[in-house]
Amino acid sequence: MGTKRLDKFLSETANVTRKEAKVLLSKGKVFVNGELCKNGDSKVSETDEILLDGKKLGAIEEFLYLMLHKQAGVVSATEDKKDKTVLDVVREQEGEFHIGKRELFPVGRLDKDTEGLLLLTDDGELAHRLLSPKRHVDKIYYAKVSGIVPEDAVERFANGISVGKEYEAMPAKLEILNISLQENTSEVQITLREGKFHQVKRMCHEIGCEVTYLKRLSMGSLQLDNNLPIGKCRKLTEEEIQKLKEDIR
Ligand code: URA
């Protein structure tokens, strides 16, 4: 990763402008490895311990990777005139991971009413590869649907179901988890290798069922952390990042 100017590091990790960083430095608020440092030109590296107002700033990372347990009611966008966005949700937790000046964005979209795993990053290359139709990264969803999933649906999904007149979906795996004859509902798990608009909902519609609840459980090797409360995010672990990179190699 090499070294970075201290004022640049501060602006990236403490969510301040370069000018504000200089003021903080001149006021003696910054310590590098235990020594007061007022010089923004100083070079720092990821092994340095940098304190701002006595608080340790995260080590320099080239990119930030966040897992969000998306709740229903927020849109997968960076800004929106009407609705709360996933970026707004992440910013509410900002203090924990220093977004700074990073331009984070969601990797792909979940519908407003869909819950579950959403990756946010500023690593454009990784995002591009994960979403590339050529790479077919598996996405696993849990869905509750109205109606009883017909017996031939598993085979239809496996063969590539036609979605309206528009396209034929790639082969997908449909697992029937539960059927309630009493409530006339089914629970299913669906593995898709592509990510077209409303795809799960539209595929279920083709087999005569309507999705009433949808949650994404995984994307490639990245699985939704069961301990992550809904509406919260956390940084990916080094291992999760490496595995994702292997998925798209
Ligand atoms: N398929 C859908 O229909 N909606 C989503 O949010 C994701 C996949």
Side-chain angles (χ1 to χ4, degrees):
M1 162 79 245
T3 59
K4 236 178 215 190
R5 287 172 57 104
L6 180 56
D7 54 1
K8 183 164 194 282
F9 172 78
L10 283 173
S11 72
E12 285 174 2
T13 53
N15 203 17
V16 293
T17 62
R18 203 66 98 77
K19 209 166 150 193
E20 286 164 338
K22 286 198 165 60
V23 174
L24 291 170
L25 283 158
S26 66
K27 284 188 173 165
K29 300 217 177 255
V30 182
F31 282 75
V32 178
N33 301 326
E35 305 245 337
L36 176 66
C37 186
K38 293 191 166 190
N39 183 5
D41 301 339
S42 316
K43 293 282 192 285
V44 289
S45 79
E46 51 197 313
T47 55
D48 291 319
E49 187 192 67
I50 297 153
L51 302 185
L52 172 62
D53 269 337
K55 200 172 149 208
K56 190 172 167 185
L57 293 179
I60 299 173
E61 283 157 343
E62 189 171 10
F63 297 115
L64 185 60
Y65 304 92
L66 297 177
M67 171 191 297
L68 172 67
H69 188 166
K70 181 190 174 297
Q71 69 268 52
V74 296
V75 293
S76 301
T78 51
E79 49 183 39
D80 193 274
K81 288 210 174 76
K82 194 162 65 73
D83 291 310
K84 186 169 180 176
T85 70
V86 288
L87 244 288
D88 296 329
V89 176
V90 168
R91 290 232 177 251
E92 284 166 6
Q93 240 184 289
E94 156 101 70
E96 292 165 42
F97 28 71
H98 303 299
I99 299 171
K101 299 277 165 293
R102 292 179 191 273
E103 295 192 351
L104 277 188
F105 57 89
V107 180
R109 277 164 186 269
L110 291 178
D111 296 338
K112 187 173 166 185
D113 58 355
T114 301
E115 292 181 2
L117 173 69
L118 190 65
L119 172 67
L120 292 106
T121 186
D122 52 344
D123 182 348
E125 175 71 20
L126 177 112
H128 175 74
R129 285 165 168 249
L130 277 173
L131 297 175
S132 164
K134 277 187 251 150
R135 285 202 165 73
H136 309 313
V137 172
D138 280 354
K139 272 120 350 213
I140 303 182
Y141 295 88
Y142 163 83
K144 279 188 197 159
V145 300
S146 63
I148 307 302
V149 172
E151 267 173 32
D152 66 349
V154 173
E155 205 182 321
R156 287 182 68 198
F157 268 50
N159 290 337
I161 199 167
S162 294
V163 179
K165 288 189 187 120
E166 287 143 61
Y167 65 90
E168 183 150 316
M170 288 180 69
K173 187 170 166 194
L174 172 67
E175 291 163 83
I176 302 172
L177 305 176
N178 195 28
I179 280 183
S180 168
L181 292 173
Q182 212 175 4
E183 290 177 12
N184 192 33
T185 58
S186 313
E187 289 171 71
V188 293
Q189 185 166 300
I190 295 172
T191 307
L192 297 184
R193 311 190 72 201
E194 53 189 348
K196 293 208 164 77
F197 186 60
H198 291 334
Q199 187 157 357
V200 170
K201 291 173 184 167
R202 297 177 77 189
M203 287 171 78
C204 288
H205 179 77
E206 291 300 323
I207 55 165
C209 298
E210 300 304 326
V211 171
T212 55
Y213 173 82
L214 185 60
K215 177 176 182 175
R216 181 155 66 190
L217 304 176
S218 67
M219 183 178 197
S221 58
L222 186 64
Q223 295 186 13
L224 179 64
D225 182 342
N226 286 329
N227 294 319
L228 187 63
I230 191 154
K232 293 284 172 202
C233 57
R234 69 151 169 84
K235 274 169 129 176
L236 261 55
T237 63
E238 234 359 270
E239 193 185 345
E240 285 170 332
I241 297 169
Q242 286 320 316
K243 283 195 175 153
L244 262 187
K245 288 185 176 169
E246 279 164 30
D247 289 344
I248 52 172
R249 201 159 276 157

